[in-house]
Amino acid sequence: MLDFEAALARAEAETGVVPPEAVQPIVDCCRAELFDFQALGEAAVDSGNLAIPMVKALTALVKVKDGRASGYVHWGATSQDAIDTGLVLQLRPFLQALDHDLGLLCKALESLVKNHRDTVMVGRTWLQQALPVTFGLKAAGWLDAADRARDRLRSLQAVVLTLQFGGAAGTLAALGDQGLRVAAALAARLDLALPALPWHSQRDRIAEAGAALGLLIGTLGKIASDVTLCMQTEIGELLEPAGKGRGGSSTMPHKRNPVAAAAVLAAASRAPGLVATLLAAMPQQHERGLGNWHAEWTALPDLCRLAGGALARTLDTVRGLEVHGDRMAENLERTQGLILAEAVQMALGARLGRGPAHDLLETASRQALREGRHLRDVLRDIPAVAAALSAEDIDRLLDPKGYLGVTQDFIDRVLQRRS
Amino acid sequence: MLDFEAALARAEAETGVVPPEAVQPIVDCCRAELFDFQALGEAAVDSGNLAIPMVKALTALVKVKDGRASGYVHWGATSQDAIDTGLVLQLRPFLQALDHDLGLLCKALESLVKNHRDTVMVGRTWLQQALPVTFGLKAAGWLDAADRARDRLRSLQAVVLTLQFGGAAGTLAALGDQGLRVAAALAARLDLALPALPWHSQRDRIAEAGAALGLLIGTLGKIASDVTLCMQTEIGELLEPAGKGRGGSSTMPHKRNPVAAAAVLAAASRAPGLVATLLAAMPQQHERGLGNWHAEWTALPDLCRLAGGALARTLDTVRGLEVHGDRMAENLERTQGLILAEAVQMALGARLGRGPAHDLLETASRQALREGRHLRDVLRDIPAVAAALSAEDIDRLLDPKGYLGVTQDFIDRVLQRRS
Amino acid sequence: MLDFEAALARAEAETGVVPPEAVQPIVDCCRAELFDFQALGEAAVDSGNLAIPMVKALTALVKVKDGRASGYVHWGATSQDAIDTGLVLQLRPFLQALDHDLGLLCKALESLVKNHRDTVMVGRTWLQQALPVTFGLKAAGWLDAADRARDRLRSLQAVVLTLQFGGAAGTLAALGDQGLRVAAALAARLDLALPALPWHSQRDRIAEAGAALGLLIGTLGKIASDVTLCMQTEIGELLEPAGKGRGGSSTMPHKRNPVAAAAVLAAASRAPGLVATLLAAMPQQHERGLGNWHAEWTALPDLCRLAGGALARTLDTVRGLEVHGDRMAENLERTQGLILAEAVQMALGARLGRGPAHDLLETASRQALREGRHLRDVLRDIPAVAAALSAEDIDRLLDPKGYLGVTQDFIDRVLQRRS
Amino acid sequence: MLDFEAALARAEAETGVVPPEAVQPIVDCCRAELFDFQALGEAAVDSGNLAIPMVKALTALVKVKDGRASGYVHWGATSQDAIDTGLVLQLRPFLQALDHDLGLLCKALESLVKNHRDTVMVGRTWLQQALPVTFGLKAAGWLDAADRARDRLRSLQAVVLTLQFGGAAGTLAALGDQGLRVAAALAARLDLALPALPWHSQRDRIAEAGAALGLLIGTLGKIASDVTLCMQTEIGELLEPAGKGRGGSSTMPHKRNPVAAAAVLAAASRAPGLVATLLAAMPQQHERGLGNWHAEWTALPDLCRLAGGALARTLDTVRGLEVHGDRMAENLERTQGLILAEAVQMALGARLGRGPAHDLLETASRQALREGRHLRDVLRDIPAVAAALSAEDIDRLLDPKGYLGVTQDFIDRVLQRRS
């Protein structure tokens, strides 16, 4: 808000609206360390917002230096101008830092994809083993979504980094016919976009920022969900990076708790309600919202904190992720070949027709399950199968590495999109 | 879903994956009127989704025509491919219709702006009278936000109109090394974008669609909120279009209930929770979500219905809106000049300094309020004011039309952005 | 709504407000099958609610039978009286059916608890194996929460089954001084509570109903979450009941998809947003809400459907749940004794002090993990342990059945609370 | 959490589980001022929760005093026991303070009801003037709902003030067969209810607490909504209490901004999303949630803060509310009698039949509206009316005080419920 006030004084001097000599005394006082935050907070209870006591305190500070200049503090502006533009000015470095960290995350994910494009693991649907995939493919899905989240947040900058400056009712009346010139100069000084008109009670930019953060958090939550599921003791395919005191349990020395993922999933639990608050706050009354505008004041910062924290934790996890290819291989064998029944069925279908092949495999799979035998052995004993497929054929068909479809093409497409 | 199945058969024949003669029998059966929706719905309870019984029923229909072709129904695909792509194919005409109606709304709003750019009314903040604006400026704010909503939904099309085709675990394994060629042919046939890789458990596109609809509904809710507040009996500046049986009250013949606005505000109350559901559903497990994917099935269609309905009602309202300039003028006089105290203060400030001017006006305003007199009369009686401003000056300063700042510039900027 | 109108006519005749001969013609027409729902729905678009065209149609029907009686249809009432009381009258059988089904669920859970109070399985925290529990204890937690959900919904009946009858603005002015007598008679006829005053714009009862349903759905979601996690291929401890076409996968014949749990989890994903909508709708304007009241019309019925469906699916699952004690026993051995390190540590602590015991076990556990050996074997090789514990002691301490604490007491307490 | 640890040591000594001499050293160190909160917060990032570093720091503190006693810190407990019970111990004084303040609010509302039971004002539906009510009746609606909110929060205490104590997996295994005795002693010392079994992953009590707070906030939001609508410049019937610097606008000296109501409405905008988060967090995994439990840590405290703040602001507003009966009377005349058309219609209906009376009044009302005349004058000129009603009859019927139905009875019922 102080950056807004300082730039406003400069812009108004530049456009001849306030005397040039008023600028320096104002600018000199626009330093946060001169203000008593506790006192401002308390005064805001009665005034209804933080800008009113801030302007009052700023005016008092300037007055000490230069009585006349103090008359030009906040000239022609309204509280919401300072609050909204102040928010936007805080969003800028936040969004830049987020973009930077997202860049690092995408790079770390890219390494993961490249290192594990051939690390075969089981794909799971409905939490059930389905067909083989590679860990590189799973990570390529994470990367592809993280790239989209980054694009979305970059586009957002053009939308949300926009000056709010409208005066008491959005007409800049107090500046006479100079309002637009001042607004343009102010936007230029703050390096913000000049909107077609003030957006004091049109809050879609703010809600869109919240939605973009919610989408990022959801994407990070997907990674965290996969990691925690793969970290289960019974699965053990992935582990969050270890460290002294990290994720340990005071009573169970062998556990590796997914503490970073828990923080990310907590963010993913919190974000939807916060985005909903911002959307619900959109129908603001007339020329300034009442209650709904005020709800934004905590909801959007909460989302920023959650997004920043979730991203930092995810970056840390992805960089140090332990990938246990041995456990992945073991888990591929859990169903004793059943997850590759489809591979055999497709091969058999080409020779016997789809229907008979389907029925044969259904019978064989159930038998394997019932008798606790490997599907390979059951299949070999079925004459109709044996007539169509050799033992080597069956072995080959039941090798997970041989039934990955266009996994590598999909991975290439994700990587190429980035290069 | 049937369009997906028909296109899949064609794409697979085109790429040599299924025999060409299988296509026609399949395509011929992909007609909704051949299916028993009630039976499909009941079967979905056990199967867990609608695609399984649909594929079963389709296969049975094809079998009657051509036993061999029936073996190629849904070849290499999984239920989610049909469900997600089916959804996308339904979103396309919906988003196009929305864009069309939004175009009409923007046009109607543009007329409103042009017709009322000079219709002075009071601007209100905190639900209190603040300063004069024009109704054209208020409507320009609506228009500017509606334009952004339209841009956002247009951008969304490029994101969301994307093929989902990954087979059982996202590798298209059942199609061997032909998966990508089939996917490309299928995307081309359906005129959908081909994604870098399947998005079965990366749901940001869906959640982003929900958010964009939520943002549109919020923007429409803002219009509805303004309309209902301006329709209050005590304000009476706007009225929803009338019509036989419209908004009437059975017991109060004089009332004009804002029935369209109520429907829009109801949509604005429902939408945030639905968007939150979609965001919360993003961390889907492994290669297919469990429960969270299923939550999308009703949440997104609900949002579409609410958005479509809210837009239709808003369009109807804006086109037929009754604007009562006389009531606007009356309301500008409610405070007996107090809402223009700032105008006098600014003029006085130029002569006496900002501080003294502020104190003078504060005193005069309180006196006017206390004595129930017009601010003009109070000001005339104050010697310090009379010394600085003539009676004509005061009258001019207290004329709302004279204190509109850069209202016209702002309106022009919004209109120019469109031309 | 028709039940409301019929009872209103009777109550008003009983209190002498309308002539007794008006009753029968009105009551005779209050039958749903006489109405064209499609037409009512279409008329509601313009009228703003369903009660207005319903009253109009009812009046027309009565008029055919008895012109004079038609003048007493809906006498002294307002649309909201019919809509809100109509909703309450629909909630009654719904809440009774829910209570009935919850009774069945609790009974089914009680059987599960009793049958499996000694079925040892691993307890998991952070999705990591922690300590042994019994499946009976896990189910006792489900039962205890289901009991609370049932209590909560029973208490809700006293709150929500309340007459709404206030006339146009909540004063029953059209009934002169007879309003309260009519209200009491009407409440008695409908067997609803008579509130202190009408609640047309005080919606806490409705939002509380939504919250109670949301809490039930959350409790069912917890059961579904546990079931799906235990159904994972790698864990395999529980299976949803099977059935023809149930949970099968068209391409993976071996899978058992948790289709019922998915439906319950979908409900648990939808409910929070719907409850939020009802809470957000509470600040209704003056004597009747605008938009927020209307949002209730779909949000509460949606919650009812989700709760009813989720309960039916859970009941079905609990009744037919396959409990695989063998897999539970296998999983207890997955960590090769590590999950019982605490048991050894406590026993050792009693002899060596807590600190040294903790350090010893930490070292031993890490060694066991690193070397892939059973903790038993590692412990036996540590002199300090061997000095304090015999091989039999170690075996006993590493037996999951021996480290269940007061599991049985907890189970008894839950069962006793019910008897 | 420290109160939990101290009581745990005492309860365990009392039941003979830890040596009595370990108690005092532990209890002496359970003082918040001995801990470095910043350091605990930082350590929680790696440990995953605050209890782990707290227990570590507590143990270190005790060790300085008594090495042996330090071995009994947190004996048999798990982090969640300290965190959940710590939360419950914080909720107790919060709920008590809330109850106290709600008692004051209800008392203040009762005064408002009594003082204004005869202050006639217009009742409004759809934001349109409907029929007369009294301000006492409106306030009685507020009071009745506030009473219910208080009852709900009192019932909640019995539900939520419950010990959580289950050890690592909810079996209290580390305490052997003494777990239940320790739990009972601990509950008694902390004056908390002893649950049937631990509730570590059954979170309905927490979500119910959130819902009850959300319902309170919604009820306060309703009061705030009414106050802000009645404070509109054009209505001016109510004003928030004034005070130096309160609700003033720096640029508009005449405005009285509803700053307290804005804070309450902001809380009402935030609460639904937070309650939704708690409900969505209910399906916690197995024996401890992952991410969802963690989401509670900020969501419930946020709700507490919002509820406490909203209640304080509402109490302040209700106590100092300025009620402008003159403006209420003025507003009753705004429609020039139209809001009493129903009264005339009912009287006329008794003589001419309901249909003809309705048609007459509809015609007269439209004429009055069209010609800008008072309904009284229009009615007098209609022969059919004049034949049935004298001028005095018409005057009497158009007096708002005469058409209040059973307003006084409703008020009495609310007041009697409290005495």
Side-chain angles (χ1 to χ4, degrees), chain B residues 53-366:
Chain B
M54 179 278 291
V55 168
K56 200 173 287 180
L58 175 60
T59 305
L61 285 170
V62 176
K63 203 167 198 171
V64 172
K65 290 189 177 254
D66 182 336
R68 200 170 159 247
S70 73
Y72 295 105
V73 167
H74 195 63
W75 185 257
T78 196
S79 297
Q80 189 167 10
D81 295 334
I83 293 172
D84 279 354
T85 301
L87 173 71
V88 165
L89 292 173
Q90 286 184 286
L91 282 175
R92 179 162 50 198
F94 168 72
L95 289 173
Q96 287 166 347
L98 214 56
D99 180 65
H100 177 260
D101 284 4
L102 263 169
L104 296 179
L105 177 65
C106 290
K107 221 173 137 180
L109 285 169
E110 193 172 336
S111 298
L112 214 55
V113 172
K114 288 177 176 167
N115 293 338
H116 293 286
R117 58 183 305 156
D118 297 315
T119 309
V120 188
M121 72 184 293
V122 77
R124 297 169 178 99
T125 60
W126 297 80
L127 289 181
Q128 302 284 302
Q129 290 203 356
L131 284 182
V133 298
T134 74
F135 180 54
L137 181 66
K138 192 186 272 266
W142 299 347
L143 171 56
D144 196 48
D147 269 330
R148 278 196 299 280
R150 196 182 185 201
D151 291 347
R152 211 178 274 124
L153 284 159
R154 286 187 163 181
S155 304
L156 178 71
Q157 294 196 24
V159 172
V160 87
L161 299 183
T162 297
L163 178 73
Q164 161 60 21
F165 184 53
T171 62
L172 290 174
L175 298 176
D177 56 3
Q178 295 300 305
L180 197 56
R181 286 185 60 231
V182 172
L186 180 55
R189 284 210 165 264
L190 292 171
D191 193 20
L192 294 175
L194 179 68
L197 83 178
W199 46 278
H200 38 110
S201 59
Q202 294 290 354
R203 312 303 291 180
D204 56 298
R205 289 177 177 91
I206 295 298
E208 186 177 349
L213 294 171
L215 287 163
L216 166 64
I217 293 170
T219 287
L220 301 175
K222 159 65 177 161
I223 300 176
S225 168
D226 281 353
V227 169
T228 59
L229 290 170
C230 289
M231 276 181 75
Q232 290 174 96
T233 309
E234 294 83 358
I235 293 186
E237 300 177 350
L238 298 176
L239 281 184
E240 277 193 10
K244 196 177 151 31
R246 166 111 185 227
S249 164
S250 56
T251 50
M252 284 157 287
H254 65 283
K255 282 181 73 182
R256 184 86 70 85
N257 291 336
V259 293
V264 177
L265 290 172
S269 298
R270 289 292 320 269
L274 294 164
V275 175
T277 295
L278 292 174
L279 287 170
M282 285 182 69
Q284 301 200 353
Q285 297 92 340
H286 295 308
E287 277 60 64
R288 185 152 308 132
L290 200 167
N292 33 31
W293 175 42
H294 306 76
E296 296 174 2
W297 297 352
T298 47
L300 187 59
D302 275 1
L303 272 167
C304 292
R305 272 188 289 271
L306 290 168
L311 179 52
R313 301 305 303 253
T314 305
L315 177 55
D316 188 45
T317 294
V318 169
R319 280 177 166 169
L321 195 67
E322 294 181 19
V323 181
H324 291 263
D326 52 337
R327 294 296 300 271
M328 291 175 176
E330 254 177 73
N331 289 331
L332 281 164
E333 279 305 305
R334 283 285 177 95
T335 62
Q336 300 201 85
L338 290 182
I339 58 166
L340 286 151
E342 188 188 82
V344 185
Q345 181 182 316
M346 297 304 288
L348 219 50
R351 306 201 188 177
L352 311 182
R354 195 193 183 196
H358 178 272
D359 294 347
L360 263 175
L361 262 296
E362 195 168 4
T363 306
S365 295
R366 285 173 193 226

Side-chain angles (χ1 to χ4, degrees), chain A residues 124-130 231-234 250-252 254-258 262 334-335 338-339 342, chain C residues 124-130 231-234 251-252 254-258 262 334-335 338 342 358:
Chain A
R124 297 169 178 98
T125 59
W126 297 79
L127 289 181
Q128 303 283 302
Q129 290 202 356
M231 275 181 76
Q232 289 174 97
T233 309
E234 295 83 358
S250 55
T251 49
M252 284 158 286
H254 65 283
K255 282 180 73 182
R256 183 87 70 88
N257 290 337
R334 283 284 177 95
T335 63
L338 289 182
I339 58 166
E342 188 188 84
Chain C
R124 297 169 177 100
T125 59
W126 297 80
L127 288 181
Q128 301 284 301
Q129 289 202 356
M231 277 181 75
Q232 289 174 96
T233 308
E234 294 83 358
T251 51
M252 284 158 285
H254 65 283
K255 281 181 73 182
R256 184 87 70 86
N257 290 337
R334 283 284 178 96
T335 63
L338 289 182
E342 188 189 82
H358 177 272

Side-chain angles (χ1 to χ4, degrees), chain A residues 110-130:
Chain A
E110 192 172 338
S111 295
L112 213 56
V113 172
K114 288 177 176 166
N115 292 339
H116 294 285
R117 60 184 303 157
D118 298 315
T119 309
V120 188
M121 72 184 293
V122 77
R124 297 169 178 98
T125 59
W126 297 79
L127 289 181
Q128 303 283 302
Q129 290 202 356

Side-chain angles (χ1 to χ4, degrees), chain C residues 166-174 176 179 198 200, chain D residues 131-134 137 403-407 410:
Chain C
T171 62
L172 290 174
H200 38 109
Chain D
L131 283 183
V133 298
T134 73
L137 182 66
Y403 201 61
L404 288 167
V406 288
T407 291
F410 284 148

